[in-house]
Amino acid sequence: RGVSLTRSYRKPARPPLSFVFDIDGVLLRESTVLPAAKRALTLLEGDNAFRTKIPYILVTNGGGKTEEDRCRDLTSQLGFPITTSQFIQCHTILKSHAHRYAEEPVLVLGGRQDEVKKIAQGYGFKKAYSTLDVKAWNPHVWPFYDLTPEELASTTPVDFSKTRLSAIFVFHDPRNWALDVQVAIDVILSGGVIGAPYVNPKKRSSAEKPVQLVFCNPDLQWGAQFQRPRLGQGAFRVAFQAVFKGLTGMEYPYEQYGKPTNATYQFAETVLREHTAKVLGGPVGGTPSVYMIGDNPESDIAGANAAGWSSILVHTGVYNPEDGPPTHQPTHEAEDVEAAVKWAIELRR
Ligand code: G3P
Ligand code: MG
């Protein structure tokens, strides 16, 4: 019949290659841009063997600024446009929680506290207060610290003896651990009303809704500019729980977000899929081939491995190969972020 039976068999489209970058210890150390960072992003912005843009997002356990402000900083630091559609910081996930506390007073901890109140209000927490507000209300709440004139000017006048705080959200790394631990203990043991009599949580009536405690970053340490890793929000949580246990004989139940929690990686997967579709001009079929590049085995590598992504551990942050093998085995190790990106792209060719 002369009909050609050979089919032009097209190779199945391979799932798109995409990257998830940790920030501190990979692209930056605090405000210092690491030398390999711009070279790595240049490869993904099109200067690669495929001559196409390769989608990427940034996921950090850092925080303390609005997503818009932090992306503006990152764009200027990295030399490429970083948009909020490709950026997740430790407290971004709290946007989905704000509706539950829209009208309820909550305590927000960490970072520059006037900034964190602004972030929380932007998410929808209409009554977000800081420990500086508490100190301004009654300076005796913590006798060993005096507010600076700037801090006093940034406080919100509130009578906390008439205000029940229903939750404590640790948005970013606390600066004044003593004041913050003291006030958090007061809020929890006084059932939300600072200065009210303490009641051990074990003896509190079940009818009363306990104060919710939420942390956004489990990092015990992180890669800052100092030559050794620095204590992070996870260390503050350990300190708070140690004091709480000393007072009550128990740790206080809490919710944890941030890398490597499943909640944060599921959130990142959604953001990555949406951003990949935006960069490639259409929905992504199948499971994308994701490479996470991080410096902290406990957060970046553990979380990526659990999410089923490929993980690349770099030696420019928390992890130091001289300290022995990493606590979580990455797919690959690389000196820096440029070597990591080149390795993943080469694998793909
Ligand atoms: O809070 C700072 C630190 O925990 C940030 O970590 O490495 O996830 O950007 P990273
Ligand atoms: Mg890091």
Side-chain angles (χ1 to χ4, degrees):
R1 280 172 296 169
V3 173
S4 159
L5 294 182
T6 55
R7 245 181 288 191
S8 58
Y9 183 68
R10 279 164 46 86
K11 277 174 66 179
R14 299 175 75 181
L17 179 62
S18 55
F19 287 83
V20 179
F21 288 107
D22 169 43
I23 297 179
D24 285 293
V26 175
L27 300 172
L28 301 174
R29 288 190 64 151
E30 293 177 71
S31 55
T32 300
V33 181
L34 295 181
K38 288 185 179 177
R39 297 196 297 268
L41 297 188
T42 301
L43 290 167
L44 301 187
E45 290 287 346
D47 184 11
N48 56 61
F50 312 116
R51 316 306 309 157
T52 58
K53 275 180 174 282
I54 299 173
Y56 63 92
I57 67 171
L58 279 58
V59 182
T60 177
N61 274 348
K65 289 188 174 182
T66 63
E67 280 71 19
E68 293 75 14
D69 287 349
R70 187 72 205 275
C71 285
R72 196 172 301 115
D73 296 347
L74 288 165
T75 297
S76 155
Q77 288 163 321
L78 297 170
F80 291 102
I82 302 293
T83 64
T84 54
S85 72
Q86 68 188 120
F87 175 69
I88 293 174
Q89 55 188 343
C90 64
H91 44 71
T92 307
I93 199 167
L94 294 184
K95 286 182 181 175
S96 60
H97 287 249
H99 68 279
R100 287 192 289 144
Y101 292 95
E103 301 304 332
E104 293 187 45
V106 298
L107 184 71
V108 294
L109 301 188
R112 277 177 50 91
Q113 296 200 19
D114 52 337
E115 188 70 29
V116 170
K117 283 197 293 186
K118 184 178 113 185
I119 297 166
Q121 284 147 14
Y123 286 1
F125 295 93
K126 295 200 178 66
K127 296 177 183 170
Y129 303 119
S130 71
T131 54
L132 298 184
D133 295 332
V134 176
K135 172 74 182 174
W137 159 69
N138 186 339
H140 300 301
V141 81
W142 181 250
F144 305 122
Y145 180 72
D146 295 323
L147 294 178
T148 64
E150 296 75 24
E151 286 173 333
L152 189 57
S154 75
T155 56
T156 310
V158 178
D159 179 352
F160 287 99
S161 68
K162 298 185 176 70
T163 302
R164 184 185 186 275
L165 296 161
S166 51
I168 301 172
F169 289 93
V170 188
F171 268 66
H172 189 36
D173 299 20
R175 294 328 192 235
N176 187 333
W177 285 25
L179 170 65
D180 289 1
V181 166
Q182 175 65 78
V183 172
I185 295 272
D186 284 331
V187 171
I188 288 172
L189 290 182
S190 301
V193 179
I194 300 172
Y198 276 10
V199 175
N200 188 307
K202 289 178 192 154
K203 300 191 179 82
R204 194 170 287 284
S205 73
S206 55
E208 201 175 321
K209 203 172 140 211
V211 173
Q212 190 182 10
L213 176 60
V214 179
F215 293 92
C216 292
N217 166 7
D219 284 358
L220 280 174
Q221 300 184 107
W222 62 292
Q225 289 200 32
F226 191 65
Q227 59 263 37
R228 297 298 307 156
R230 299 298 75 191
L231 296 178
Q233 190 186 130
F236 171 77
R237 187 197 72 238
V238 170
F240 166 79
Q241 291 288 12
V243 172
F244 192 85
K245 187 165 187 177
L247 287 170
T248 65
M250 60 181 271
E251 287 206 349
Y252 193 70
Y254 62 94
E255 281 178 54
Q256 181 69 67
Y257 295 102
K259 297 175 292 182
T261 66
N262 193 31
T264 290
Y265 274 83
Q266 282 182 348
F267 179 42
E269 187 123 346
T270 304
V271 169
L272 178 62
R273 188 175 290 277
E274 288 165 2
H275 185 68
T276 298
K278 191 173 149 191
V279 170
L280 300 185
V284 173
T287 309
S289 174
V290 183
Y291 288 84
M292 169 128 205
I293 301 176
D295 70 302
N296 188 336
E298 304 297 330
S299 57
D300 306 314
I301 307 307
N305 292 349
W309 300 346
S310 298
S311 55
I312 306 176
L313 178 60
V314 293
H315 300 164
T316 49
V318 169
Y319 174 67
N320 180 341
E322 290 165 17
D323 296 341
T327 48
H328 294 270
Q329 186 58 43
T331 311
H332 180 67
E333 281 192 48
E335 267 315 298
D336 59 36
V337 64
E338 180 189 17
V341 167
K342 280 182 174 174
W343 175 81
I345 288 177
E346 196 51 38
L347 211 60
R348 180 78 177 195
R349 286 183 61 169

